[in-house]
Amino acid sequence: MTTTSQIPVRLDFDAHAARFSRAMNQLDHAATTELDRVEFDPRMRELVRIRASQLNGCAYCIDMHTKDARAVGETEQRLYALPAWRETPYFTARERAALAFTESVTLLAQGHVPQEDYDAVAAEFGPDEIAALVSLIVAINAWNAIAVATRAWEPGSYQP
Amino acid sequence: MTTTSQIPVRLDFDAHAARFSRAMNQLDHAATTELDRVEFDPRMRELVRIRASQLNGCAYCIDMHTKDARAVGETEQRLYALPAWRETPYFTARERAALAFTESVTLLAQGHVPQEDYDAVAAEFGPDEIAALVSLIVAINAWNAIAVATRAWEPGSYQP
Amino acid sequence: MTTTSQIPVRLDFDAHAARFSRAMNQLDHAATTELDRVEFDPRMRELVRIRASQLNGCAYCIDMHTKDARAVGETEQRLYALPAWRETPYFTARERAALAFTESVTLLAQGHVPQEDYDAVAAEFGPDEIAALVSLIVAINAWNAIAVATRAWEPGSYQP
Amino acid sequence: MTTTSQIPVRLDFDAHAARFSRAMNQLDHAATTELDRVEFDPRMRELVRIRASQLNGCAYCIDMHTKDARAVGETEQRLYALPAWRETPYFTARERAALAFTESVTLLAQGHVPQEDYDAVAAEFGPDEIAALVSLIVAINAWNAIAVATRAWEPGSYQP
Amino acid sequence: MTTTSQIPVRLDFDAHAARFSRAMNQLDHAATTELDRVEFDPRMRELVRIRASQLNGCAYCIDMHTKDARAVGETEQRLYALPAWRETPYFTARERAALAFTESVTLLAQGHVPQEDYDAVAAEFGPDEIAALVSLIVAINAWNAIAVATRAWEPGSYQP
Amino acid sequence: MTTTSQIPVRLDFDAHAARFSRAMNQLDHAATTELDRVEFDPRMRELVRIRASQLNGCAYCIDMHTKDARAVGETEQRLYALPAWRETPYFTARERAALAFTESVTLLAQGHVPQEDYDAVAAEFGPDEIAALVSLIVAINAWNAIAVATRAWEPGSYQP
């Protein structure tokens, strides 16, 4: 992808916090282990990661996870529709529940995950699945925060 | 595209307001005429339409204009990046100015298009271009409002 | 009205987008045709136009439509009360439904016109009336957007 | 004014908090004394009261203070323009400074009256005038809070 | 308390609005009289004052009322928990109702104290108690507004 | 601390996501290692943790980290002042920069950590310190998200 504007790196996070950077990779691996254990749909994982990254404004993460989503068979039109998923008929009830919960946890400071949001996700997922989904949301939000705060990684540079 | 959730039509707007519906088509044609006159880049037109539709939650419009964007040569990765365009290096200075102004006018009630937002677009575009861009933004916002208020058109049904 | 502060014109929209400007007049005429067909109350039309213009910060439009409202028999006290209409006993159930829907569609990006808002307007108005009301709201929002983005028309200059 | 909807009284505040109610009248009188001492323009006092009441949704207060404003010579068009005063050329630099500060103090929890807002009012008013203006804003906000929380007083019932 | 940053006084409010300042003290005394009459719990009074002051950003008021709260037997951990009181099990049903109503009235411009908020406080308190609580909330908000707008009183200087 | 209201556990996260739970402890340990390496002040660490937890509404975390803060010598009055730290003179320039950056990263979705916020923290801290601070903010936000989404841990149960 040709880049035509400059989004300068603020801080080389991996260099300046190498120990924490490694722990982030381990956290990510642990989230994957939880997701694998409950056989969480690979396409749904990427939808969650992309939607959180859209809310948090993480350009690197959107680029990475749309490439990964396409690699596991996701369609272009579902990815384009994601910012307006509530008004879109393409997503299953489980996908809609996962996306709603992703927004609620990602916008933590705005609503503190009210009881009705938890009830909605619990109507579609069992306890182990919710725990895996929380792990996934926490991990992608952590990556988003590092990427957006430091602009450490150049959007578009990811290769699957 | 397989639809898996129901987004029921609320009102068949074209049937119940046929006269206004025709006038909307004429308004859209007039916007295109203004854009053609200033040779406004076709890809940039679609970026503006998609970004407004993302903010307004118009699933039908996003589906339509991402298809149209791809048809005029837009790339997948630029379309995926659009929700985080400010943090993305893929867009030119003119595209960034057009997108920022699109957000300002679309979020009209929040900020009333402050002077600095107008100054920013005027730094990249001449008066005729701004007038054409305003026409474009007004037209897509009008379509968004009808589509979202009435859910008249099924997302995914558009064929270029 | 004496003007004591300067709100400079940013762009002479009618001159720089003459074709779109004419289409806007036709759109407005089409909305009026829809409203006439369902015999939509003239005072209620102005309440809708003024409330949208208040939310969008369109000083020219407020000035114009309060003059027009007074000309069709609206009272001063109802117009003053409009920013707090929900807490005011002056408005009928139909006027309150129209005003609530006007706010929901005008603040499109904030809420995407949720189902309960549509249900509330449908409890007071039939499909043709809603279609005419949507036409009215779309038209005034389009005027608001042009006026606020370009500051093309001087507030107070309108003469009924 | 004919009332067509019911806004039921929640609590007869004057009866249930008679002592505090009297103290409110004394506070209001004290604000007037401060305003008189600095010869604060009577029309500007009402603009401040009406704008705060619009933000706070106090229908009774808007009705009362628009009647009082008209009684001291304020025009209809300036009162209609008040929700969009920033985009309106009718108001003097001092009126604009007073209105901006009114909004900043009324929306206290949103911005905590940042330094630039204080600097802006201090560019137009001296210390005694600002102290009188603060007294005015505090008094009308207190009335607004009682009226909106308890719906104690029927909008439209005020007679100058 | 050692002060390490400067929060300069903007205006010596007591000197420039002496008359209003005295009326504020009388208003505060009247609120106390109402609260005493209904035997409103002293610790709950301070919780209300501190929570309003947190929302309004009044550092002087937080410092003063946490000192007063500790003096009437409030615990450290309940005071620390106050910004997240909804998620905290330390508070009684009456305290929770009082805190929710405090937030609703303090954030007046955001929600205009909707009916469900009034119903919630009325489920726990009688009319005289609500009137006293409104008096308390109005008084602390008035103090907050003066303190934050003028930065008149140095945070930490209060001695119980 | 006596609990008087029920905040029921939604999900025993440690049991249902044991693998991720262990990785969270390792992440937290890694953050501490980064902070120790740059000799980040222990009291400032707790201020950051408490402020993020206040924004995110994490009652368990506030309780835990105010106890830890007191254990490392923090004063009651500074902790009470934290919700209004900007208006409070108790905090050093470095503490103020750390708190402002904490808010910016915690409210990630609202502002995407704009350049001026990064510049402000970089005026007080070097690259290694910022990387450690980012690690700290990311870790506490991750804990907050798990605790608030699942209500897994009872507020007040922590013992230092």
mmCIF file of all heavy atoms in Angstrom, chain F residues 115-149:
data_model
loop_
_atom_site.group_PDB
_atom_site.id
_atom_site.type_symbol
_atom_site.label_atom_id
_atom_site.label_comp_id
_atom_site.label_asym_id
_atom_site.label_seq_id
_atom_site.Cartn_x
_atom_site.Cartn_y
_atom_site.Cartn_z
ATOM 1 N N GLN F 115 -1.862 14.122 19.369
ATOM 2 C CA GLN F 115 -0.441 14.469 19.453
ATOM 3 C C GLN F 115 -0.138 15.381 20.642
ATOM 4 O O GLN F 115 0.888 15.222 21.314
ATOM 5 C CB GLN F 115 -0.004 15.134 18.138
ATOM 6 C CG GLN F 115 1.493 15.353 18.015
ATOM 7 C CD GLN F 115 2.284 14.048 18.072
ATOM 8 O OE1 GLN F 115 1.854 13.030 17.544
ATOM 9 N NE2 GLN F 115 3.439 14.080 18.717
ATOM 10 N N GLU F 116 -0.998 16.342 20.926
ATOM 11 C CA GLU F 116 -0.707 17.261 22.036
ATOM 12 C C GLU F 116 -0.652 16.531 23.374
ATOM 13 O O GLU F 116 0.112 16.930 24.264
ATOM 14 C CB GLU F 116 -1.709 18.433 22.086
ATOM 15 C CG GLU F 116 -3.160 18.060 22.227
ATOM 16 C CD GLU F 116 -3.884 17.967 20.891
ATOM 17 O OE1 GLU F 116 -3.251 17.586 19.873
ATOM 18 O OE2 GLU F 116 -5.088 18.267 20.865
ATOM 19 N N ASP F 117 -1.427 15.455 23.514
ATOM 20 C CA ASP F 117 -1.373 14.688 24.760
ATOM 21 C C ASP F 117 -0.047 13.943 24.875
ATOM 22 O O ASP F 117 0.528 13.835 25.975
ATOM 23 C CB ASP F 117 -2.539 13.687 24.827
ATOM 24 C CG ASP F 117 -3.879 14.368 25.043
ATOM 25 O OD1 ASP F 117 -3.966 15.593 24.822
ATOM 26 O OD2 ASP F 117 -4.848 13.693 25.407
ATOM 27 N N TYR F 118 0.419 13.413 23.741
ATOM 28 C CA TYR F 118 1.728 12.741 23.789
ATOM 29 C C TYR F 118 2.841 13.752 24.062
ATOM 30 O O TYR F 118 3.744 13.496 24.867
ATOM 31 C CB TYR F 118 1.999 11.975 22.495
ATOM 32 C CG TYR F 118 3.210 11.089 22.652
ATOM 33 C CD1 TYR F 118 3.100 9.841 23.250
ATOM 34 C CD2 TYR F 118 4.480 11.536 22.273
ATOM 35 C CE1 TYR F 118 4.208 9.038 23.443
ATOM 36 C CE2 TYR F 118 5.595 10.742 22.470
ATOM 37 C CZ TYR F 118 5.455 9.496 23.060
ATOM 38 O OH TYR F 118 6.559 8.722 23.263
ATOM 39 N N ASP F 119 2.772 14.897 23.399
ATOM 40 C CA ASP F 119 3.788 15.930 23.623
ATOM 41 C C ASP F 119 3.839 16.348 25.095
ATOM 42 O O ASP F 119 4.924 16.605 25.640
ATOM 43 C CB ASP F 119 3.492 17.153 22.747
ATOM 44 C CG ASP F 119 3.649 16.847 21.260
ATOM 45 O OD1 ASP F 119 4.268 15.817 20.916
ATOM 46 O OD2 ASP F 119 3.142 17.626 20.443
ATOM 47 N N ALA F 120 2.664 16.439 25.729
ATOM 48 C CA ALA F 120 2.622 16.872 27.129
ATOM 49 C C ALA F 120 3.323 15.872 28.039
ATOM 50 O O ALA F 120 4.065 16.263 28.956
ATOM 51 C CB ALA F 120 1.165 17.066 27.569
ATOM 52 N N VAL F 121 3.123 14.582 27.804
ATOM 53 C CA VAL F 121 3.791 13.596 28.670
ATOM 54 C C VAL F 121 5.285 13.540 28.358
ATOM 55 O O VAL F 121 6.121 13.356 29.254
ATOM 56 C CB VAL F 121 3.114 12.208 28.566
ATOM 57 C CG1 VAL F 121 3.521 11.455 27.315
ATOM 58 C CG2 VAL F 121 3.396 11.376 29.820
ATOM 59 N N ALA F 122 5.624 13.749 27.073
ATOM 60 C CA ALA F 122 7.032 13.708 26.672
ATOM 61 C C ALA F 122 7.811 14.917 27.180
ATOM 62 O O ALA F 122 9.044 14.910 27.201
ATOM 63 C CB ALA F 122 7.143 13.608 25.146
ATOM 64 N N ALA F 123 7.104 15.961 27.604
ATOM 65 C CA ALA F 123 7.777 17.122 28.190
ATOM 66 C C ALA F 123 8.269 16.834 29.604
ATOM 67 O O ALA F 123 9.132 17.547 30.127
ATOM 68 C CB ALA F 123 6.829 18.329 28.197
ATOM 69 N N GLU F 124 7.741 15.816 30.234
ATOM 70 C CA GLU F 124 8.101 15.496 31.614
ATOM 71 C C GLU F 124 8.831 14.166 31.775
ATOM 72 O O GLU F 124 9.485 13.945 32.785
ATOM 73 C CB GLU F 124 6.837 15.478 32.499
ATOM 74 C CG GLU F 124 6.190 16.839 32.698
ATOM 75 C CD GLU F 124 6.998 17.752 33.625
ATOM 76 O OE1 GLU F 124 7.854 17.235 34.370
ATOM 77 O OE2 GLU F 124 6.790 18.975 33.582
ATOM 78 N N PHE F 125 8.676 13.282 30.804
ATOM 79 C CA PHE F 125 9.237 11.935 30.942
ATOM 80 C C PHE F 125 10.067 11.568 29.716
ATOM 81 O O PHE F 125 9.733 11.962 28.593
ATOM 82 C CB PHE F 125 8.109 10.900 31.103
ATOM 83 C CG PHE F 125 7.321 11.026 32.379
ATOM 84 C CD1 PHE F 125 6.163 11.779 32.423
ATOM 85 C CD2 PHE F 125 7.768 10.411 33.547
ATOM 86 C CE1 PHE F 125 5.436 11.910 33.604
ATOM 87 C CE2 PHE F 125 7.046 10.532 34.730
ATOM 88 C CZ PHE F 125 5.880 11.286 34.757
ATOM 89 N N GLY F 126 11.126 10.774 29.916
ATOM 90 C CA GLY F 126 11.929 10.247 28.828
ATOM 91 C C GLY F 126 11.282 9.014 28.210
ATOM 92 O O GLY F 126 10.320 8.462 28.758
ATOM 93 N N PRO F 127 11.837 8.538 27.065
ATOM 94 C CA PRO F 127 11.238 7.404 26.344
ATOM 95 C C PRO F 127 11.067 6.145 27.193
ATOM 96 O O PRO F 127 10.007 5.512 27.147
ATOM 97 C CB PRO F 127 12.225 7.172 25.188
ATOM 98 C CG PRO F 127 12.866 8.500 24.976
ATOM 99 C CD PRO F 127 12.958 9.129 26.332
ATOM 100 N N ASP F 128 12.067 5.774 27.978
ATOM 101 C CA ASP F 128 11.928 4.574 28.817
ATOM 102 C C ASP F 128 10.832 4.763 29.867
ATOM 103 O O ASP F 128 10.083 3.830 30.173
ATOM 104 C CB ASP F 128 13.251 4.256 29.533
ATOM 105 C CG ASP F 128 14.215 3.494 28.636
ATOM 106 O OD1 ASP F 128 13.943 3.386 27.416
ATOM 107 O OD2 ASP F 128 15.246 3.022 29.144
ATOM 108 N N GLU F 129 10.745 5.954 30.402
ATOM 109 C CA GLU F 129 9.711 6.223 31.400
ATOM 110 C C GLU F 129 8.314 6.174 30.771
ATOM 111 O O GLU F 129 7.377 5.642 31.371
ATOM 112 C CB GLU F 129 9.935 7.596 32.039
ATOM 113 C CG GLU F 129 11.144 7.646 32.960
ATOM 114 C CD GLU F 129 11.400 9.049 33.494
ATOM 115 O OE1 GLU F 129 11.328 10.029 32.681
ATOM 116 O OE2 GLU F 129 11.663 9.181 34.699
ATOM 117 N N ILE F 130 8.190 6.749 29.567
ATOM 118 C CA ILE F 130 6.882 6.701 28.898
ATOM 119 C C ILE F 130 6.495 5.264 28.599
ATOM 120 O O ILE F 130 5.346 4.856 28.792
ATOM 121 C CB ILE F 130 6.904 7.541 27.597
ATOM 122 C CG1 ILE F 130 7.174 9.007 27.917
ATOM 123 C CG2 ILE F 130 5.580 7.396 26.854
ATOM 124 C CD1 ILE F 130 7.340 9.880 26.683
ATOM 125 N N ALA F 131 7.458 4.481 28.121
ATOM 126 C CA ALA F 131 7.161 3.075 27.815
ATOM 127 C C ALA F 131 6.709 2.338 29.072
ATOM 128 O O ALA F 131 5.772 1.514 29.029
ATOM 129 C CB ALA F 131 8.385 2.407 27.202
ATOM 130 N N ALA F 132 7.333 2.628 30.203
ATOM 131 C CA ALA F 132 6.925 2.000 31.463
ATOM 132 C C ALA F 132 5.537 2.490 31.882
ATOM 133 O O ALA F 132 4.706 1.714 32.370
ATOM 134 C CB ALA F 132 7.947 2.298 32.554
ATOM 135 N N LEU F 133 5.286 3.777 31.681
ATOM 136 C CA LEU F 133 3.977 4.346 32.029
ATOM 137 C C LEU F 133 2.882 3.745 31.144
ATOM 138 O O LEU F 133 1.791 3.400 31.631
ATOM 139 C CB LEU F 133 4.023 5.873 31.884
ATOM 140 C CG LEU F 133 2.743 6.655 32.128
ATOM 141 C CD1 LEU F 133 2.147 6.365 33.501
ATOM 142 C CD2 LEU F 133 2.986 8.157 31.961
ATOM 143 N N VAL F 134 3.159 3.600 29.853
ATOM 144 C CA VAL F 134 2.188 2.949 28.964
ATOM 145 C C VAL F 134 1.922 1.526 29.445
ATOM 146 O O VAL F 134 0.768 1.074 29.501
ATOM 147 C CB VAL F 134 2.682 2.955 27.498
ATOM 148 C CG1 VAL F 134 1.836 2.035 26.624
ATOM 149 C CG2 VAL F 134 2.676 4.377 26.936
ATOM 150 N N SER F 135 2.971 0.811 29.819
ATOM 151 C CA SER F 135 2.806 -0.552 30.332
ATOM 152 C C SER F 135 1.884 -0.559 31.554
ATOM 153 O O SER F 135 0.985 -1.400 31.672
ATOM 154 C CB SER F 135 4.174 -1.139 30.723
ATOM 155 O OG SER F 135 5.057 -1.129 29.626
ATOM 156 N N LEU F 136 2.108 0.376 32.450
ATOM 157 C CA LEU F 136 1.291 0.484 33.659
ATOM 158 C C LEU F 136 -0.166 0.773 33.320
ATOM 159 O O LEU F 136 -1.088 0.129 33.849
ATOM 160 C CB LEU F 136 1.860 1.615 34.534
ATOM 161 C CG LEU F 136 1.081 2.041 35.775
ATOM 162 C CD1 LEU F 136 0.974 0.898 36.780
ATOM 163 C CD2 LEU F 136 1.734 3.269 36.413
ATOM 164 N N ILE F 137 -0.400 1.722 32.420
ATOM 165 C CA ILE F 137 -1.775 2.098 32.054
ATOM 166 C C ILE F 137 -2.476 0.945 31.348
ATOM 167 O O ILE F 137 -3.645 0.649 31.608
ATOM 168 C CB ILE F 137 -1.765 3.362 31.158
ATOM 169 C CG1 ILE F 137 -1.162 4.548 31.905
ATOM 170 C CG2 ILE F 137 -3.172 3.690 30.687
ATOM 171 C CD1 ILE F 137 -0.890 5.775 31.025
ATOM 172 N N VAL F 138 -1.758 0.262 30.458
ATOM 173 C CA VAL F 138 -2.345 -0.878 29.745
ATOM 174 C C VAL F 138 -2.712 -1.985 30.731
ATOM 175 O O VAL F 138 -3.802 -2.570 30.655
ATOM 176 C CB VAL F 138 -1.370 -1.387 28.662
ATOM 177 C CG1 VAL F 138 -1.788 -2.770 28.143
ATOM 178 C CG2 VAL F 138 -1.301 -0.385 27.508
ATOM 179 N N ALA F 139 -1.837 -2.249 31.672
ATOM 180 C CA ALA F 139 -2.107 -3.327 32.633
ATOM 181 C C ALA F 139 -3.317 -3.000 33.509
ATOM 182 O O ALA F 139 -4.211 -3.844 33.679
ATOM 183 C CB ALA F 139 -0.868 -3.572 33.500
ATOM 184 N N ILE F 140 -3.390 -1.795 34.057
ATOM 185 C CA ILE F 140 -4.518 -1.492 34.940
ATOM 186 C C ILE F 140 -5.822 -1.463 34.140
ATOM 187 O O ILE F 140 -6.874 -1.903 34.627
ATOM 188 C CB ILE F 140 -4.299 -0.184 35.746
ATOM 189 C CG1 ILE F 140 -5.404 -0.032 36.803
ATOM 190 C CG2 ILE F 140 -4.252 1.039 34.875
ATOM 191 C CD1 ILE F 140 -5.436 -1.107 37.847
ATOM 192 N N ASN F 141 -5.787 -0.960 32.903
ATOM 193 C CA ASN F 141 -7.006 -0.972 32.090
ATOM 194 C C ASN F 141 -7.455 -2.403 31.804
ATOM 195 O O ASN F 141 -8.672 -2.675 31.764
ATOM 196 C CB ASN F 141 -6.798 -0.204 30.785
ATOM 197 C CG ASN F 141 -7.158 1.267 30.926
ATOM 198 O OD1 ASN F 141 -8.327 1.623 30.847
ATOM 199 N ND2 ASN F 141 -6.170 2.121 31.147
ATOM 200 N N ALA F 142 -6.526 -3.307 31.590
ATOM 201 C CA ALA F 142 -6.889 -4.709 31.362
ATOM 202 C C ALA F 142 -7.553 -5.300 32.610
ATOM 203 O O ALA F 142 -8.599 -5.948 32.531
ATOM 204 C CB ALA F 142 -5.646 -5.507 30.975
ATOM 205 N N TRP F 143 -6.958 -5.052 33.773
ATOM 206 C CA TRP F 143 -7.590 -5.510 35.026
ATOM 207 C C TRP F 143 -8.973 -4.897 35.186
ATOM 208 O O TRP F 143 -9.925 -5.581 35.573
ATOM 209 C CB TRP F 143 -6.718 -5.135 36.236
ATOM 210 C CG TRP F 143 -5.476 -5.939 36.413
ATOM 211 C CD1 TRP F 143 -4.192 -5.465 36.396
ATOM 212 C CD2 TRP F 143 -5.376 -7.351 36.657
ATOM 213 N NE1 TRP F 143 -3.308 -6.499 36.605
ATOM 214 C CE2 TRP F 143 -4.002 -7.674 36.771
ATOM 215 C CE3 TRP F 143 -6.312 -8.378 36.773
ATOM 216 C CZ2 TRP F 143 -3.550 -8.975 37.004
ATOM 217 C CZ3 TRP F 143 -5.864 -9.669 37.007
ATOM 218 C CH2 TRP F 143 -4.497 -9.962 37.117
ATOM 219 N N ASN F 144 -9.078 -3.593 34.965
ATOM 220 C CA ASN F 144 -10.381 -2.916 35.086
ATOM 221 C C ASN F 144 -11.427 -3.578 34.201
ATOM 222 O O ASN F 144 -12.562 -3.821 34.615
ATOM 223 C CB ASN F 144 -10.265 -1.440 34.671
ATOM 224 C CG ASN F 144 -9.521 -0.539 35.623
ATOM 225 O OD1 ASN F 144 -9.239 0.611 35.301
ATOM 226 N ND2 ASN F 144 -9.192 -1.017 36.817
ATOM 227 N N ALA F 145 -11.048 -3.864 32.947
ATOM 228 C CA ALA F 145 -12.010 -4.425 31.990
ATOM 229 C C ALA F 145 -12.508 -5.792 32.453
ATOM 230 O O ALA F 145 -13.704 -6.088 32.405
ATOM 231 C CB ALA F 145 -11.377 -4.530 30.607
ATOM 232 N N ILE F 146 -11.583 -6.634 32.926
ATOM 233 C CA ILE F 146 -11.993 -7.957 33.413
ATOM 234 C C ILE F 146 -12.910 -7.811 34.630
ATOM 235 O O ILE F 146 -13.982 -8.411 34.704
ATOM 236 C CB ILE F 146 -10.759 -8.815 33.778
ATOM 237 C CG1 ILE F 146 -9.898 -9.064 32.537
ATOM 238 C CG2 ILE F 146 -11.177 -10.137 34.423
ATOM 239 C CD1 ILE F 146 -8.536 -9.674 32.829
ATOM 240 N N ALA F 147 -12.482 -6.953 35.576
ATOM 241 C CA ALA F 147 -13.226 -6.825 36.833
ATOM 242 C C ALA F 147 -14.619 -6.238 36.605
ATOM 243 O O ALA F 147 -15.603 -6.696 37.194
ATOM 244 C CB ALA F 147 -12.443 -5.949 37.815
ATOM 245 N N VAL F 148 -14.717 -5.222 35.737
ATOM 246 C CA VAL F 148 -16.014 -4.568 35.530
ATOM 247 C C VAL F 148 -16.914 -5.441 34.652
ATOM 248 O O VAL F 148 -18.119 -5.562 34.901
ATOM 249 C CB VAL F 148 -15.820 -3.166 34.924
ATOM 250 C CG1 VAL F 148 -17.158 -2.545 34.543
ATOM 251 C CG2 VAL F 148 -15.081 -2.276 35.920
ATOM 252 N N ALA F 149 -16.353 -6.090 33.633
ATOM 253 C CA ALA F 149 -17.172 -6.917 32.743
ATOM 254 C C ALA F 149 -17.739 -8.134 33.469
ATOM 255 O O ALA F 149 -18.883 -8.527 33.231
ATOM 256 C CB ALA F 149 -16.354 -7.366 31.532
#
